[in-house]
Amino acid sequence: MIKKNNYTWNNWAGNQSCLSENYFEPETEEQIIEIVRFSGKNKKKIKVVGSGHSFSPIAVSNEILISLKNYRKLISVDKDTVTCQGGMYLYDLYDVLISNKLSFPDFGVINKQTVAGALAAGTHGSSLMHKSLSAQIEKLRMITASGDPVEITRETKWKIDDEEFSLWEAASLSLGSFGIVTEVTLKCDPIFYLKSEESVVDFDEYLKCMDDYARRYEYFKAWWFPHTDKVYLFKAERIEEEQCHKKEQWIKYTEEQRKRDLQIDKLTSPLFVKSNDDSSLIPEINSFCLDYFFTPRTRIGNCFEILVHDETVPMVVSEYGLSMLDDNHKKALKKFRDILEQSQHKLHFPVDLRYTGAENSYLSPAYKQDTFYIGMCIREYGEEKIHPSMQLFFDVMKKYTACPSWGKLSDLSKSTCEKDFPGFENFKKLRNIIDPGRIFLNVFFESIF
């Protein structure tokens, strides 16, 4: 097991860092248990860092950090489940699924997170017919604060006084605050194939059709290009495998478009760097990117090829989930557009617009309700201070009772959690019982729990 003292850790975006007293890379569950017991004995806070793809301080600790980069093996795979160690990267897991002709109902766009990290932060795709990745959990094996392994399934209950709680509903999206996930069993579906129709519409047209499209297409998302008043739509539905094999008959995706897609990160990254010093360039950059890279097309492929892509340009991201009742989500999006355009602030593309179905994890923004997510990013921005356009986004979202995504930047507070997350109190009761010494809470979470 690798051990280091006074270890400096930075996340992928470069906006979060810490100097940790003790850093460990365990290779066995026994070593993880040893670290947890050491932490409890010495009253040290402990956090697990995955691949660093969270933008909030969710994984920061100045006391003990654990990386599971050497604890990432496949344990088993059968016709409808896969079991792996918590540190396995999503791209490795996806390779396993593809080779076994398996998939999940939906995916987060990025594939670089660890499995345990993606589950802990509530990673989701975009489909009203499906839920976040956490909804696929069949079983979790977790090392709790006592150093004892616990296995959690959907049937696992915990009684506090006379009240019974579902431990699965808390542990399935736990922020790493319940313990260290050593093994995960996820339910799988057969691999499937998609046709994605992609096109550009005006912002106001998008507002009119967005929910209709979300209900009509199994997979639907959009990217709004600020300062252009244009939105790029992704409408995907299933096709038969035979159609995929004969995709040249239906595909409308030219060689020129393919070449441009391969160049996009290389060509745009210098533009984003320059525009962070001169934000007046952003409208022109957004317009150029839309016209040059995001031209209408029809793509056909397996679910991984259509729903997942490789993100290489560093960025900081904020995301909020909104109720769809009374068009609350549309009002919030329009208000953000109007206030942004009236302000002096400029914002890089894309503003990510996605949906998920209602789910049962206590800390999910989609807890018990279908949810619309708005996600904004500042590319090539690695500073710890909040960018002014992101603060504007926070301020608008608060007015519409939006729930922040845990791995993204937000103005999250204890009062926000108590007011906007209906399952928060249940989660907190269970968390305090399982970790009475609060060893899995860092400074960020201490302010909330």
Side-chain angles (χ1 to χ4, degrees), residues 110-384:
I110 310 301
N111 65 358
K112 291 185 172 66
Q113 306 98 314
T114 62
V115 173
L119 296 172
T123 294
H124 63 91
S126 188
S127 172
L128 270 183
M129 302 176 196
H130 302 297
K131 306 170 186 179
S132 71
L133 185 60
S134 295
Q136 297 304 112
I137 296 172
E138 291 286 285
K139 184 169 68 175
L140 287 173
R141 182 175 172 87
M142 181 181 293
I143 309 304
T144 59
S146 65
D148 298 316
V150 172
E151 292 197 346
I152 300 168
T153 70
R154 292 176 184 272
E155 288 69 46
T156 306
K157 306 295 181 184
W158 199 288
K159 199 166 186 178
I160 302 176
D161 298 326
D162 294 327
E163 197 171 359
E164 192 173 68
F165 298 88
S166 166
L167 202 53
W168 185 95
E169 292 182 9
S172 55
L173 200 168
S174 69
L175 316 175
S177 70
F178 265 56
I180 299 175
V181 173
T182 57
E183 292 183 15
V184 183
T185 299
L186 298 166
K187 183 174 176 56
C188 301
D189 289 350
I191 197 168
F192 58 95
Y193 303 87
L194 293 168
K195 178 174 74 171
S196 177
E197 299 282 1
E198 300 168 18
S199 59
V200 180
V201 298
D202 291 337
F203 185 93
D204 289 339
E205 178 62 25
Y206 170 74
L207 282 179
K208 293 176 185 176
C209 68
M210 54 192 280
D211 289 354
D212 290 338
Y213 284 150
R215 295 184 180 102
R216 174 181 170 186
Y217 292 95
E218 186 173 0
Y219 302 94
F220 173 68
K221 70 175 183 179
W223 285 356
W224 164 40
F225 284 64
H227 321 300
T228 70
D229 214 34
K230 299 292 184 182
V231 179
Y232 193 76
L233 307 183
F234 301 79
K235 300 177 287 188
E237 51 191 347
R238 298 195 189 211
I239 58 175
E240 297 298 326
E241 183 178 1
E242 291 74 20
Q243 289 177 275
C244 188
H245 293 326
K246 299 177 181 178
K247 61 184 179 182
E248 297 306 323
Q249 298 179 20
W250 294 281
I251 204 166
K252 297 176 183 175
Y253 183 34
T254 67
E255 194 59 36
E256 178 64 25
Q257 287 173 318
R258 293 177 200 272
K259 289 179 181 178
R260 290 180 181 183
D261 287 350
L262 292 173
Q263 293 177 310
I264 185 169
D265 287 350
K266 180 180 178 180
L267 294 180
T268 59
S269 184
L271 300 178
F272 297 133
V273 171
K274 190 172 183 179
S275 68
N276 282 330
D277 293 326
D278 182 0
S279 63
S280 67
L281 300 172
I282 290 178
E284 186 176 354
I285 291 170
N286 288 358
S287 181
F288 161 72
C289 289
L290 176 64
D291 293 341
Y292 187 75
F293 294 107
F294 294 90
T295 47
R297 65 194 66 179
T298 301
R299 292 187 300 130
I300 291 174
N302 68 44
C303 49
F304 298 92
E305 293 169 325
I306 299 299
L307 299 178
V308 180
H309 76 253
D310 189 28
E311 182 62 70
T312 63
V313 177
M315 68 187 82
V316 293
V317 181
S318 178
E319 183 184 61
Y320 282 75
L322 293 130
S323 165
M324 296 170 62
L325 294 175
D326 300 320
D327 283 343
N328 179 65
H329 59 314
K330 294 183 180 182
K331 295 170 187 174
L333 177 58
K334 186 175 186 301
K335 176 61 73 173
F336 178 48
R337 189 274 305 261
D338 292 346
I339 288 180
L340 177 67
E341 298 297 353
Q342 292 162 11
S343 76
Q344 77 273 27
H345 303 307
K346 305 301 177 188
L347 182 59
H348 294 150
F349 86 95
V351 174
D352 201 16
L353 308 172
R354 299 187 287 170
Y355 293 82
T356 63
E359 57 186 10
N360 294 323
S361 297
Y362 287 138
L363 292 189
S364 171
Y367 181 66
K368 304 292 186 183
Q369 65 175 4
D370 291 346
T371 297
F372 176 74
Y373 287 91
I374 305 175
M376 61 151 289
C377 68
I378 311 293
R379 292 173 176 253
E380 297 287 3
Y381 180 83
E383 298 185 36
E384 291 189 21

